[in-house]
Amino acid sequence: MKELQERILKEGRILPGSILKVDSFLNHQIDMELMDHIGAYFQEKFRDAGITRVLTIEASGIPMACMTAYHFHVPVVFAKKARAANLGPDVYKSTVHSYTYGRDYQIAVSKAYLHAGDTVLIIDDFLANGQAVHGLMDLCEQAGAQVGGIGICIEKGFQPGGDELRRRGIRVESLAIIDAMDDHHIELRK
Ligand code: 5GP
């Protein structure tokens, strides 16, 4: 998606450990017009997938997941992190290893908001090693819901998450794929 790719090249900042900061439009300050365009783009891409629900993980997946759900006219649900005790016992839980913080955390979704019979579109801001997506897929499996596809804003193509999912036959659509990154340069896949 050209609009997102241009913003990454213009405003992205690279931190040690191959972390891309896109705080000026995606992860801290949020450009809602861009989110709207991202939502419309995913809706177009997955329009034939029979999506009944959009699922993401708090916090940074929420804006683009909301706009995607808005364009599909379906609910959006976000998995809550860690201290999910206030969700009560009726939750699906999984463990995710955080790429950016280097530690494990729990995610949980109430059983009231994810059902057998759902076809779920998983949305997230980044895909690196695939841990967050695996956690969300695990929640879907526990609920008996199908994963209709995965929509990612920025895939780090030099990390294995996206290719592993595609090899398993899962449909992954990434709006921008970074092939390489060093201190001064971001190389996007054409
Ligand atoms: P994965 O679980 O695929 O290894 O990493 C994806 C998750 O880690 C995303 O939910 C995202 O929040 C975070 N993440 C991974 N790489 C980056 C990065 O380069 N920049 C930012 N801002 N977040 C990242």
Side-chain angles (χ1 to χ4, degrees), residues 19-37:
I19 303 277
L20 177 65
K21 258 180 108 76
V22 282
D23 279 7
S24 61
F25 60 96
L26 202 76
N27 283 154
H28 192 18
Q29 172 171 267
I30 296 162
D31 181 335
M32 286 310 294
E33 214 166 305
L34 176 63
M35 294 306 111
D36 182 38
H37 298 165

Side-chain angles (χ1 to χ4, degrees), residues 18-20 27 60 99-100 124-126 128-132 156:
S18 294
I19 303 277
L20 177 65
N27 283 154
S60 52
Y99 179 77
T100 35
D124 206 2
D125 58 343
F126 277 88
N129 290 323
Q131 296 287 320
K156 293 155 91 184

Side-chain angles (χ1 to χ4, degrees), residues 10-172:
K10 189 160 166 243
E11 297 175 45
R13 297 287 170 265
I14 300 158
L15 300 185
S18 294
I19 303 277
L20 177 65
K21 258 180 108 76
V22 282
D23 279 7
S24 61
F25 60 96
L26 202 76
N27 283 154
H28 192 18
Q29 172 171 267
I30 296 162
D31 181 335
M32 286 310 294
E33 214 166 305
L34 176 63
M35 294 306 111
D36 182 38
H37 298 165
I38 287 172
Y41 193 98
F42 282 137
Q43 195 275 333
E44 179 62 33
K45 283 277 177 201
F46 290 101
R47 64 184 311 152
D48 301 325
I51 300 303
T52 61
R53 201 169 292 260
V54 172
L55 179 66
T56 190
I57 193 163
E58 68 174 346
S60 52
I62 293 175
M64 63 278 320
C66 283
M67 292 315 296
T68 303
Y70 175 80
H71 282 278
F72 270 106
H73 302 284
V74 300
V76 56
V77 180
F78 64 89
K80 298 200 175 197
K81 281 182 182 167
R83 288 166 289 279
N86 61 348
L87 282 176
D90 291 332
V91 293
Y92 301 114
K93 285 185 204 159
S94 193
T95 302
V96 171
H97 182 76
S98 164
Y99 179 77
T100 35
Y101 296 103
R103 59 174 166 76
D104 287 356
Y105 60 91
Q106 277 224 317
I107 58 171
V109 158
S110 167
K111 290 182 180 174
Y113 305 127
L114 196 56
H115 307 129
D118 267 326
T119 301
V120 175
L121 178 59
I122 292 175
I123 296 284
D124 206 2
D125 58 343
F126 277 88
L127 174 61
N129 290 323
Q131 296 287 320
V133 166
H134 282 131
L136 293 170
M137 289 174 69
D138 184 21
L139 298 179
C140 291
E141 198 178 320
Q142 291 175 46
Q146 270 199 329
V147 175
I150 296 170
I152 298 293
C153 292
I154 305 173
E155 176 177 341
K156 293 155 91 184
F158 54 91
Q159 290 181 252
D163 287 340
E164 266 170 25
L165 291 163
R166 291 185 187 97
R167 266 200 300 278
R168 287 168 54 192
I170 297 159
R171 189 164 163 211
V172 183

